[in-house]
Amino acid sequence: MRASDRAYESLVEEIQGGALAPGAVIGEAAQAARLGVSRTPMREAIGRLVADGLVRQQSPRVLVVAGFDGGDIRALFETRRALEETAARLAAARGDAVAFGELAAEFRAAHPESGSRAADDYYALIARFDAALDVAVDNVYLTQALRPIRAHLARARRIARDNAGRLRDSVAEHALIAEAIAAGDPELAAHATHVHLHHALTSILSSIEHATPTEGPQ
Amino acid sequence: MRASDRAYESLVEEIQGGALAPGAVIGEAAQAARLGVSRTPMREAIGRLVADGLVRQQSPRVLVVAGFDGGDIRALFETRRALEETAARLAAARGDAVAFGELAAEFRAAHPESGSRAADDYYALIARFDAALDVAVDNVYLTQALRPIRAHLARARRIARDNAGRLRDSVAEHALIAEAIAAGDPELAAHATHVHLHHALTSILSSIEHATPTEGPQ
DNA sequence: GATTCGGCAAATGTATACATAAAAGGGCAA
DNA sequence: TTGCCCTTTTATGTATACATTTGCCGAATC
């Protein structure tokens, strides 16, 4: 594996996991030294983070981890709705009914509310669902547009992490989406996605208000 | 301006304009020498092109200009619909009525069918409309998702270039979208966008079928 | 004659040296 | 004491040298 890929993945995980908090300064030399690569691959990794929107230019010379507040999450979900409702519609029209039937069954069988281990398994299942969606939609432009959205979503998930009731509802919502796709019902798939995203956003926003404001070190 | 930016813009224009045809091999050293920069900024420029999807990996070691056939254009417009209908809806809800009213007037006054100079002016007007849309929507995720879409769209436009009748209809469609946004009518803005994209896609696809297949040198 | 193995060449991946510019800190002057 | 300017430092931007991997070509063997 290339050094630039390792550096990129490390930084993405640290940003998503909160180890690198919003506002943290990302300097080429500093990060390169910390992760044990030279400046060239680190430069490439940082370039990808900027393209993803996880890192942004604060001033001509200084890059910082992008902030991520309630307004950002609302904007993220607006874009998610646009892309994922379309993806659901297209998958229902084109997708492999068997594959989505099996995914629906897995969602029905999932019990992510029974511990953090189960929650992680559940997120892995969602990742497989997303991958199946990409295959079914068969549209590189849509898939590419979704990539950074999902990277930001991981940050939002962490904020609202481990709300047992929400996770229990979420599996049922995903199961319905998968079933609608398996049944070849585009409108139901799209509207079930809308419902799911509405509930997910509402839950995340209420988590934020009840938790401490997510402020990184300046 | 940085050397990597110059290299990136040069390559984008050459790909959009067809000077670098689909399938053309993009080698770091070769392009760096041709454009008079060193490999480091060229490497960054090529990385951005790959992220945009204008260049793709053909094999582990060789990058080529991405193909762009009728199927790609259909996929591109599916994604465009998802993003631009949402953008139109949001702009109608939030946008500056005066700004879009003025843009609508400019569209009503445009006559792009009267020569290639007028057509270029018209594309510049569309670019200003897109910029106004980005401001009105005020959603970085949506704007970022639209960026590569627009880069690919420029390739599609070139294929269907200068169809006088189509351009005349296009201004009217854009005027309606701008008026709907100015009037604060989200549904009309979204559906007018849908209609516009439907006509644009139909026109481009028929141009392709009647023209010689767009094959680049292998 | 075909297939496989080995070597060679050319490309990318990485490291580092050098250039340049911006920001911060200190010193001097008002 | 404060503000401005100059210097110094440290950052990024660029170029280039070096390492590594891959793909191809040729020769030898089966």
Side-chain angles (χ1 to χ4, degrees), chain A residues 146-175:
Chain A
L146 273 169
R147 220 190 63 81
I149 300 298
R150 288 169 179 157
H152 285 276
L153 179 61
R155 300 185 79 184
R157 276 215 195 101
R158 181 176 167 277
I159 293 173
R161 193 162 186 81
D162 292 339
N163 180 331
R166 174 60 203 139
L167 288 175
R168 192 168 49 238
D169 293 344
S170 174
V171 291
E173 292 160 17
H174 273 97

Side-chain angles (χ1 to χ4, degrees), chain B residues 129-194:
Chain B
F129 176 74
D130 286 344
L133 215 50
D134 289 343
V135 170
V137 168
D138 189 30
N139 180 325
V140 287
Y141 307 104
L142 195 62
T143 298
Q144 294 245 44
L146 274 169
R147 220 189 62 82
I149 300 297
R150 289 169 179 157
H152 286 275
L153 179 61
R155 300 184 79 184
R157 276 214 195 101
R158 181 174 167 277
I159 294 173
R161 193 160 186 80
D162 291 340
N163 180 331
R166 173 62 203 140
L167 287 175
R168 191 169 50 240
D169 292 344
S170 174
V171 289
E173 291 161 17
H174 272 97
L176 179 58
I177 296 169
E179 283 161 4
I181 293 172
D185 187 335
E187 284 309 297
L188 179 60
H191 295 163
T193 299
H194 186 175

Side-chain angles (χ1 to χ4, degrees), chain A residues 1-10 13 37 48:
Chain A
M1 187 186 234
R2 298 184 303 190
S4 60
D5 292 335
R6 277 189 287 114
Y8 173 74
E9 289 185 13
S10 296
E13 284 175 17
V37 299
R48 290 166 68 183

